[in-house]
Amino acid sequence: MSRPLFVAAWFSPWSERARFALDHHRIDYREEAYVPMLGEPLLRLRTRVFRGPVTVPVLLHDGHVFRDSVEIARYTDRLGKGTPLFPASAEAEVTRYVELATGIMEASRALSVSRMARDERLQFENLPPSVPAPLRPVFARMGTRFMTRKYRLDARDLEQDRATIRRGLERLRTDLRGRDTLLPDFTFADIAVAVSLTMLRPVEHPVLPLGPGMRAAFTEPGLAEEFGDLLTWRDKLYAERRSMQGAAGPAAA
């Protein structure tokens, strides 16, 4: 069996939740860093997606292409050694929490990219070390504009996005009620929700070595303070469940 190739953006929550699943199942994979805009031509060639949006994470393995974090996580259940992340008895519940977490992440992405667009320091930190110093200002601005266009973020209502996040967090607070996991057993629901909370305030864990600029971009101060109990739950889950196998970073390869 060949070694899977995981193409991911190191700072992306979508990539992190797939990486979390790969590491949960102790899968031996190689990670290749994806740089928005610059890496798109090769990604299209690899995935055979020549029109429309193309995104990471992507997992390439034995002639198969998995183009979505949930699809990748489902595949890890078939490939790996850990306890199932999508148990048949809890399929509907896991799906419901994944959808809730995805909604939080999509709304949070609009807020974080908006912050990056206003702060060149944040844009620079988003670039890999391989970009030459004279070109970094140009690529930083181009990258932010690229993300804004790709996800149509300039058309979003940021206050409505904050309201969407708050509703999701209130639902999670009600459902957790002091529990360690959302369902009786640890599942991908916990991974999806814990990762979504990294966009409220980034987790402090070696697998996500964000610098101060990226931490600022992914922090929503008011909501982080209001829902500090959820962040405490997230931090505990990362401390207990997050393997050190897949340490991300701008130079991951």
Side-chain angles (χ1 to χ4, degrees), residues 213-227:
M214 291 300 287
R215 286 191 173 278
F218 281 103
T219 296
E220 187 64 22
L223 290 173
E225 182 177 356
E226 181 179 351
F227 293 95

Side-chain angles (χ1 to χ4, degrees), residues 160-213:
Q160 184 174 331
D161 283 324
R162 285 190 180 89
T164 296
I165 296 167
R166 176 175 280 105
R167 286 194 298 270
L169 298 177
E170 288 172 345
R171 175 66 180 273
L172 292 172
R173 173 181 278 167
T174 299
D175 289 358
L176 275 168
R177 294 190 299 274
R179 298 164 51 162
D180 290 334
T181 56
L182 287 158
L183 303 175
D185 297 310
F186 177 74
T187 68
F188 191 67
D190 299 299
I191 292 177
V193 167
V195 171
S196 75
L197 295 174
T198 65
M199 301 186 77
L200 195 63
R201 188 178 69 209
V203 64
E204 293 188 10
H205 193 282
V207 297
L208 287 175
L210 299 182

Side-chain angles (χ1 to χ4, degrees), residues 9-13 34 36 108-109 111-113 115-117 119-128 136 140 144 147 197-203 208-221 249-250:
W10 68 273
F11 57 87
S12 163
Y34 171 79
S108 298
R109 177 170 56 195
L111 299 179
S112 62
V113 174
R115 283 189 286 269
M116 290 178 66
D119 191 332
E120 195 173 69
R121 175 180 61 102
L122 308 187
Q123 299 169 22
F124 279 16
E125 198 172 290
N126 193 19
L127 294 173
R136 294 181 77 81
T144 302
M147 293 287 287
L197 295 174
T198 65
M199 301 186 77
L200 195 63
R201 188 178 69 209
V203 64
L208 287 175
L210 299 182
M214 291 300 287
R215 286 191 173 278
F218 281 103
T219 296
E220 187 64 22

Side-chain angles (χ1 to χ4, degrees), residues 13-14 17 100-110 192 195-196 199:
W14 279 263
R17 66 183 187 179
L100 176 61
T102 300
I104 291 173
M105 292 199 304
E106 289 175 346
S108 298
R109 177 170 56 195
V195 171
S196 75
M199 301 186 77

